[in-house]
Amino acid sequence: MADSPGKTSPPAVSEAWVNVRGGIKGARSHDLVAEEVPVAMVYNGVSHAVMMASPCDLKDFALGFSLSEGILQRPDQLFSIEIKPSEDGIEVQMHIAGDCYARLREQRRNMAGRTGCGLCGTESLAHVVRTLEKVATKPLPGDEIVQEALTNLKKHQPLQLQTGATHGAAWCDSQGRIVMAREDVGRHNALDKLIGARLREHGEQAFSEGFALISSRASFEMVQKSANVGIGSLVAVSAPTALAIREAEKSGMNLIGFARPGRHVIYARGDEKAQEREL
């Protein structure tokens, strides 16, 4: 799964000259900004989706997107990946199993993704909220464990620290230690990159223990992507939507939102005994 020779992908961070007005006297005349490029997901020679994304960890992105969107059911259905940068953007060319490609063609979906947009170009309402499989019941992360992960999230977001423009998605072990993280200008992309990275490194055991922590709100797409790959617990720094909560309840996921220092809110619990509201 080698990158294409010749032109290389742009860096994830660039330098921009700026004119600072007010604030600290003698402020620097340049700033670090996050790159954002069109990334085309190409399956067996046919472009399916174009997402605006950070040009890093694209192989993780390709695998995670393919699985979280239901294009693939298993990682081994992706036979090869080739990254092909050009003047217009980056093509991620994938060779996938024939039955997966046949299903993809039948869907007749041609998304044109933007940062923070997961539905642009979806062809019909039936394609929006997909039926989710039940995820394996996982224990709700303890309060101290959630706070431990939250405390260390920024340490695993170097692009955010440099630019202030990216989202992060992290995998935390059962003790709240962050063991893997990915970043992107788009929150959906960051989660897809994390999903792909975990599966490439750990296979079927990628999500057997621990939970995902995201630096964004918990939209229903984030819940769907998580449930599609078997993530049993999702913790978000910001709010969930009502649809996200309903989808988490239907799939049996644990969903925690508004994870802030010293406080977080449990919106859905996967274990049936925990459905009773705690006062």
Side-chain angles (χ1 to χ4, degrees):
M1 296 187 182
D3 295 346
S4 178
K7 185 175 177 60
T8 59
S9 298
V13 176
S14 295
E15 188 175 277
W17 292 99
V18 297
N19 189 338
V20 180
R21 301 297 179 91
I24 302 173
K25 185 178 181 180
R28 62 187 182 181
S29 57
H30 67 275
D31 202 359
L32 295 176
V33 295
E35 281 287 355
E36 183 179 29
V37 301
V39 176
M41 297 295 185
V42 181
Y43 296 92
N44 293 8
V46 177
S47 181
H48 170 66
V50 179
M51 311 298 290
M52 299 306 298
S54 300
C56 56
D57 302 311
L58 293 182
K59 290 182 180 179
D60 294 337
F61 186 25
L63 178 58
F65 176 87
S66 300
L67 288 162
S68 72
E69 289 295 317
I71 297 168
L72 306 179
Q73 281 70 53
R74 306 185 311 275
D76 62 6
Q77 292 172 321
L78 175 57
F79 299 144
S80 65
I81 306 175
E82 187 176 7
I83 310 298
K84 299 194 72 173
S86 69
E87 295 297 331
D88 298 322
I90 301 173
E91 283 193 354
V92 181
Q93 297 186 352
M94 290 168 276
H95 179 206
I96 64 174
D99 57 340
C100 297
Y101 181 64
R103 286 194 302 272
L104 183 62
R105 292 297 299 269
E106 289 176 3
Q107 291 174 6
R108 297 181 62 190
R109 293 180 64 197
N110 185 17
M111 298 180 296
R114 298 193 301 261
T115 301
C117 179
L119 297 176
C120 304
T122 298
E123 196 169 76
S124 71
L125 293 176
H127 288 142
V128 176
V129 182
R130 302 185 297 270
T131 300
L132 299 180
E133 298 291 334
K134 286 279 188 179
V135 300
T137 301
K138 300 294 173 63
L140 184 75
D143 296 347
E144 297 82 4
I145 290 171
V146 170
Q147 289 296 316
E148 171 69 17
L150 184 64
T151 298
N152 292 300
L153 180 59
K154 288 185 178 180
K155 299 176 184 177
H156 295 266
Q157 294 182 265
L159 295 182
Q160 171 66 7
L161 290 174
Q162 288 179 294
T163 69
T166 61
H167 285 292
W171 188 254
C172 313
D173 67 14
S174 57
Q175 301 303 309
R177 294 182 292 257
I178 294 176
V179 296
M180 181 177 283
R182 290 292 185 271
E183 291 183 272
D184 197 276
V185 289
R187 66 182 189 275
H188 308 104
N189 303 343
L191 180 59
D192 279 335
K193 288 179 177 181
L194 176 68
I195 289 169
R198 287 293 298 177
L199 287 168
R200 279 159 58 88
E201 187 169 320
H202 298 281
E204 294 181 356
Q205 300 303 311
F207 309 115
S208 59
E209 293 186 3
F211 59 96
L213 172 62
I214 55 176
S215 66
S216 63
R217 65 186 175 93
S219 62
F220 87 94
E221 306 105 308
M222 303 295 268
V223 169
Q224 282 192 336
K225 284 178 177 291
S226 298
N228 278 345
V229 298
I231 293 174
S233 300
L234 179 65
V235 179
V237 168
S238 294
T241 65
L243 182 54
I245 296 170
R246 292 194 294 270
E247 289 293 285
E249 290 174 341
K250 287 192 294 185
S251 66
M253 286 178 58
N254 300 314
L255 179 61
I256 294 174
F258 280 121
R260 306 292 170 84
R263 183 180 184 271
H264 53 270
V265 182
I266 300 166
Y267 287 93
R269 297 186 67 163
D271 50 321
E272 293 181 356
K273 293 180 180 179
Q275 295 305 318
E276 300 178 3
R277 300 294 182 184
E278 297 180 2
L279 299 179

